[in-house]
Amino acid sequence: MHPIVIIGSGMAGYAAAREFRKVNAEHELIMICADDAANYAKPTLSNAYTGKKAPEQIALGDAEKMAAQLNMQILNHTWVKSIDASAHELQLKNVDGQQSVQAYSKLVLAVGANPIRLAIAGDGSDDIHVVNSLNDYKAFRAQIDQCNEKRVVILGAGLIGCEFANDLQNTGHSVTVIDLAPLPLGRLLPAHVAEAFKSNLEETGIHFVLGTTVEKVTKDSDGYTVTLANGQSFKADIVLSAIGLQPNIALAKEADIHTSRGVITNAGLETNQPDIYAMGDCAEVNGTLLPYVMPIMQQARALAKTLNGEHTSVHYPAMPVAVKTPAAPLTVLPAPLDTDVTWETEETDDGMLAKATDSDGTLRGFVLLGASAGKQRLALTKLVPDLIPAAL
């Protein structure tokens, strides 16, 4: 029997391995990844400064430790060049340039998502940081720790951009956030809640410049000049891009695995190719992309049973997302995109509660802004129908 192979050493890959080992301690398991295979939780990167965590303190275990812990072979610094779905084989190349073939019985794509990069002019554009991995974060921290004036420009007022802005402002940095959208978190929040969220962050000193985009980043004698499409410009010691992620689908497409925004799977996390599954940030499950922690855990539990011979569909209960912005405590359960909803808002002691109801009066999503509002999270979550119901 050939091994089960997991491509990717992020949260999804390790969750799949961990859950599989709970139901099967012996079947040969191999993880293949292009990086060093350090095990860490990516969401911790956006508030590591406030938590006073140095980059070297974030990893929970290196490849050697994780291989022993999970009775698994880890091929790190190794690239999967192609998948031969009919032969159940992978073409590999390692850091030394050596090529090899790896057979599999079942294959799990946990290849994550890549940062979207804007086409920005100027001789400083190559210095723009993204933080999508621990190695990215190490490079970002190495530069920002050397900055004298601590001026940070962040491109993107989405979830990650706002979390980094709050974290850096909390630690004595001067932060400017730029986004083409009229409000932060515009895809997650109704406008009136986004306005209140923005005001709370502005009270800490974060400066939002919205409705415009960056055209050019140029080097100068004391850092960078960031020039916007509206004619404004800002001085910066470091520029961070956090404008979103795109699922990594290139490897799947080349193997004739169906893709759309992500790698397309059914509720069983199965792709159109036999014995190939996808999970995590790369997976579009039943038409839905959910690049958050709770969906990954639900996927890993279901997939572990399937890999062990007990076909199991993933169950998506209502899964609120907690945004790590202490200056504006926020919990969001987005309403399904294909559902028409009406928002109703009520004020709380330190914020607001907004509910999204459908035409039948069923609660389909909500937003809790403020620490006191957050206490209602569990009660509200129970009222929202499952996104993917549990199998009968």
Side-chain angles (χ1 to χ4, degrees), residues 9 18 56 64 69 154 164 191 198 204-205 211 228 230 232 240 244 246 253-254 267 279 324 330 342 349 362 374:
S9 63
R18 197 174 291 112
E56 56 272 15
E64 186 177 0
Q69 192 179 100
I154 297 177
F164 266 106
K198 172 173 167 277
T204 70
L228 310 187
N230 68 2
Q232 287 181 275
L240 172 65
Q246 283 181 326
K253 285 181 81 168
E254 289 169 9
M279 64 171 294
K324 299 189 294 295
L330 185 68
T342 303
D349 290 344
T362 302

Side-chain angles (χ1 to χ4, degrees), residues 76-156:
N76 58 1
H77 303 298
T78 299
W79 289 262
V80 178
K81 306 304 290 182
S82 63
I83 300 168
D84 186 333
S86 58
H88 282 51
E89 289 181 344
L90 307 174
Q91 294 287 335
L92 307 183
K93 184 177 181 180
N94 70 12
V95 71
D96 298 321
Q98 296 173 321
Q99 301 198 34
S100 59
V101 174
Q102 174 63 58
Y104 65 84
S105 59
K106 297 183 188 298
L107 179 66
V108 179
L109 303 180
V111 293
N114 295 322
I116 297 167
R117 286 187 178 270
L118 294 174
I120 295 172
D123 60 0
S125 61
D126 288 344
D127 295 350
I128 296 173
H129 287 263
V130 294
V131 176
N132 192 45
S133 70
L134 183 54
N135 286 335
D136 290 342
Y137 185 71
K138 287 175 180 175
F140 175 72
R141 279 288 292 264
Q143 183 175 344
I144 203 169
D145 286 345
Q146 295 173 357
C147 297
N148 293 324
E149 297 190 48
K150 297 187 173 184
R151 301 164 300 182
V152 183
V153 169
I154 297 177
L155 315 184

Side-chain angles (χ1 to χ4, degrees), residues 151-233:
R151 301 164 300 182
V152 183
V153 169
I154 297 177
L155 315 184
L159 194 144
I160 301 301
C162 288
E163 288 186 348
F164 266 106
N166 197 170
D167 191 50
L168 293 168
Q169 192 73 36
N170 259 349
T171 47
H173 298 82
S174 174
V175 180
T176 300
V177 181
I178 298 158
D179 201 303
L180 191 57
L183 288 167
L185 298 183
R187 293 181 182 175
L188 287 177
L189 307 180
H192 60 289
V193 182
E195 195 68 66
F197 175 77
K198 172 173 167 277
S199 295
N200 287 1
L201 292 185
E202 284 175 332
E203 286 175 11
T204 70
I206 295 169
H207 181 208
F208 285 95
V209 184
L210 303 171
T212 189
T213 189
V214 175
E215 282 197 340
K216 186 166 59 173
V217 176
T218 51
K219 297 179 183 180
D220 56 33
S221 58
D222 61 344
Y224 304 91
T225 298
V226 180
T227 305
L228 310 187
N230 68 2
Q232 287 181 275
S233 64

